[in-house]
């Protein structure tokens, strides 16, 4: 007999957990919709050539390829299809493919599963939900959209009520300009950026040691002088000291100053966001603003929302210039981490508020009649269809965490009444058929 088990790196929830997870997703979705983003879904599989164009970092090594059984054993250098590893690359393909049918700037949200060949470990998943929002422009895209997304992150995590958080913001233009001023070539820049992205995980000394594989001690020290302005009172002002004659560095500085100016208009609490020159983001397609969000009281969780601006992602699929900026919440990992910390509030009742007990199958017509009346009044309910002992039905109702148990037997049918048991208070009343919806709505 095969032992039932899930694939390592996948999450399967019990009903109460699933209700809490769905509530989290619904909260995120509502915030996205209220900010004017329209929904989008793309296929689970993409052509391999699409996903491999601009993945960058370690992601390219984590792609799952999809091979139909009829193709097994065939000699093929690369499978034609692969499972998406994020939602941004499929978005770029979608926008390029449907460019003439869309209005720009195109604002969309997308909440779907993605797949990565991660090493199976607690909190790291191979199959997980991402909750993305992106804005794609045509030819240009105002830096104000970067600020809009930061304000949206603030609204989402305020609505989720999971504690104090900090949105950390940087610009990769600062890195690019600084590295140019230090005569560091583009290939070395990519290697250095990936090491800097590990800074909080492995610490300053290990990153310094890694950097000296490619850089001189002087270059390394200047880079860390830049990174360490994070600890100053006003790090944005400290930028004046670095790469004074580099145009790209100056552009990054000006964009960050503009973002800060716009954020003031949103009147957000300023201690919820900060400039952090150490934020790099591992994926190569980010070109300017980069964003990471963390919970202040639980830094061990790591980033709970990240993203940034990408100017050139869609150029692999179209000649048009389609710059974009987006953020992503890894909902599966976030839920797992919050649940482990006891920060998930499980619903007090099941998805239904009312259970209709089955005292005798000869009253099925009445049970269905009540079921229909309640549904027409948007009262969630279900019928327990087996005429088990009432004690067993009470036990099931209690385990299902419904608020009310409705019973119809011989006396109730004769009097056209329903016996209503409030399972939270223990109160029990008889209610006329025609008044049952009104009665329950007073409590629900």
């Amino acid at each position: 007999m095969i032992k039932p088990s899930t694939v390592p790196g996948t999450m399967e929830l019990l009903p109460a957990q699933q209700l809490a997870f769905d509530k989290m997703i619904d909260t995120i979705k509502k915030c996205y919709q209220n900010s004017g983003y329209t929904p989008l879904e793309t296929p689970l599989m993409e052509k391999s050539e699409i996903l491999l164009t601009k993945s960058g970092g370690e992601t390219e090594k984590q792609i799952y390829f999809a091979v139909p059984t009829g193709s097994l054993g065939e000699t093929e250098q690369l499978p034609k299809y692969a499972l998406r590893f994020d939602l941004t690359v499929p978005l770029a393909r979608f926008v390029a493919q449907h460019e003439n049918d869309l209005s720009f700037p195109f604002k969309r949200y997308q909440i779907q599963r993605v797949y990565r060949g991660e090493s199976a470990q607690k909190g790291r998943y191979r199959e997980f939900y991402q909750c993305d929002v992106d804005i794609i422009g045509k030819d240009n895209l105002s830096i104000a959209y970067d600020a809009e997304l930061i304000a949206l992150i603030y609204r989402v995590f305020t609505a989720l009520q999971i504690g104090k958080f900090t949105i950390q913001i940087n610009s990769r233009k600062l890195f690019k300009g600084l590295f140019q001023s230090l005569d560091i070539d583009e290939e070395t820049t990519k290697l250095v950026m990936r090491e800097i992205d590990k800074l909080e995980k492995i610490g300053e000394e290990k990153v310094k040691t890694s950097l000296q594989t490619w850089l001189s001690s002087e270059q390394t020290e200047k880079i860390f002088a830049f990174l360490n302005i994070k600890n100053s009172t006003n790090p944005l002002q400290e930028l004046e000291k670095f790469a004074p004659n580099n145009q790209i560095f100056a552009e990054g500085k000006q964009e960050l100053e503009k973002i800060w100016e716009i954020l003031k208009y949103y009147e957000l609490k300023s201690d919820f966001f900060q400039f952090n020159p150490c934020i790099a983001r591992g994926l190569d397609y980010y070109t300017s603003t980069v964003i990471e969000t963390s919970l202040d009281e639980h830094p061990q969780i790591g980033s709970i929302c990240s993203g940034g601006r990408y100017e050139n992602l869609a150029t692999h699929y179209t000649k048009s210039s389609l710059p974009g900026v987006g953020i992503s919440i890894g909902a599966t990992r976030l839920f797992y981490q919050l649940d482990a910390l006891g920060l998930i509030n499980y619903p007090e009742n099941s998805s239904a508020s009312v259970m209709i007990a089955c005292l005798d199958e000869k009253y099925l017509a009445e049970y269905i009649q009540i079921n229909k009346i309640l549904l027409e009044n948007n009262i969630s309910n279900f019928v327990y269809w087996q005429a088990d002992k009432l004690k067993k039905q009470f036990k099931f109702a209690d385990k299902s965490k419904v608020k009310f148990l409705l019973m119809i037997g011989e006396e109730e049918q004769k009097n056209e009444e329903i016996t209503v048991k409030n399972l939270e208070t223990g109160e029990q009343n008889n209610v006329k058929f025609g008044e049952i919806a009104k009665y329950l709505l007073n409590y629900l």
Side-chain angles (χ1 to χ4, degrees), residues 248-302:
I248 294 175
F249 190 93
E251 287 176 6
K253 179 177 178 293
Q254 289 167 6
E255 288 175 356
L256 287 174
E257 289 171 344
K258 186 67 176 177
I259 288 170
W260 249 253
E261 178 187 347
I262 295 169
L263 287 175
K264 287 180 181 178
Y265 301 146
Y266 278 107
E267 298 182 345
L268 310 179
K269 292 180 180 178
S270 59
D271 60 328
F272 278 79
F273 56 94
Q274 67 178 29
F275 167 58
N276 184 350
C278 300
I279 300 299
R281 303 292 302 132
L283 295 176
D284 289 341
Y285 56 64
Y286 293 117
T287 55
S288 183
T289 309
V290 283
I291 303 163
E292 286 195 356
T293 309
S294 57
L295 289 176
D296 292 11
E297 295 181 9
H298 306 284
Q300 72 277 15
I301 291 180

Side-chain angles (χ1 to χ4, degrees), residues 48-65 78-79 82-86 89 115-118 190 194 282-285 316:
S48 297
E49 61 183 3
I50 295 288
L51 295 181
L52 292 171
T53 50
K54 193 73 172 176
S55 57
E58 294 297 310
T59 308
E60 199 167 300
K61 301 173 185 176
Q62 299 174 350
I63 289 176
Y64 281 108
F65 291 104
L78 189 72
L83 306 186
R84 60 184 175 226
F85 63 84
D86 75 354
V89 176
Y115 297 83
R116 294 183 189 175
E118 295 269 11
K190 291 179 182 179
R194 289 172 196 170
L283 295 176
D284 289 341
Y285 56 64
H316 291 273

Side-chain angles (χ1 to χ4, degrees), residues 220-398:
T220 301
E221 289 304 318
K222 286 185 177 179
I223 288 171
F224 269 88
F226 167 73
L227 297 177
N228 286 329
I229 65 172
K230 173 189 176 182
N231 302 317
S232 64
T233 308
N234 195 332
L236 271 177
Q237 288 184 355
E238 296 286 322
L239 292 177
E240 296 289 351
K241 302 176 183 177
F242 300 92
N245 299 317
N246 187 278
Q247 183 179 349
I248 294 175
F249 190 93
E251 287 176 6
K253 179 177 178 293
Q254 289 167 6
E255 288 175 356
L256 287 174
E257 289 171 344
K258 186 67 176 177
I259 288 170
W260 249 253
E261 178 187 347
I262 295 169
L263 287 175
K264 287 180 181 178
Y265 301 146
Y266 278 107
E267 298 182 345
L268 310 179
K269 292 180 180 178
S270 59
D271 60 328
F272 278 79
F273 56 94
Q274 67 178 29
F275 167 58
N276 184 350
C278 300
I279 300 299
R281 303 292 302 132
L283 295 176
D284 289 341
Y285 56 64
Y286 293 117
T287 55
S288 183
T289 309
V290 283
I291 303 163
E292 286 195 356
T293 309
S294 57
L295 289 176
D296 292 11
E297 295 181 9
H298 306 284
Q300 72 277 15
I301 291 180
S303 178
I304 58 174
C305 176
S306 58
R309 179 173 282 247
Y310 42 90
E311 299 292 341
N312 306 311
L313 191 64
T315 55
H316 291 273
Y317 324 121
T318 176
K319 292 180 180 179
S320 298
S321 174
L322 299 171
V325 61
I327 56 169
S328 179
I329 300 171
T332 303
R333 180 171 174 269
L334 175 61
F335 183 85
Y336 171 87
Q337 298 277 19
L338 295 176
D339 193 28
L341 291 167
L343 298 177
I344 295 294
N345 295 317
Y346 287 104
E348 295 179 358
N349 61 297
S350 72
S351 56
S353 301
V354 177
M355 175 179 138
I356 303 168
C358 181
L359 302 188
D360 195 309
E361 290 188 0
K362 66 183 179 182
Y363 304 120
L364 291 183
E366 283 80 4
Y367 300 152
I368 292 172
Q369 180 186 356
I370 297 304
N371 170 255
K372 289 170 63 179
I373 290 171
L374 298 185
L375 290 176
E376 287 167 1
N377 285 274
N378 294 316
I379 299 172
S380 57
N381 75 98
F382 64 91
V383 180
Y384 188 99
W385 290 114
Q386 295 172 203
D388 292 329
K389 290 181 179 180
L390 194 56
K391 183 178 179 181
K392 183 177 180 180
Q393 296 190 51
F394 263 92
K395 188 175 180 180
F396 181 85
D398 183 60

Side-chain angles (χ1 to χ4, degrees), residues 1-5:
M1 184 175 289
I2 299 172
K3 182 181 178 181
S5 61

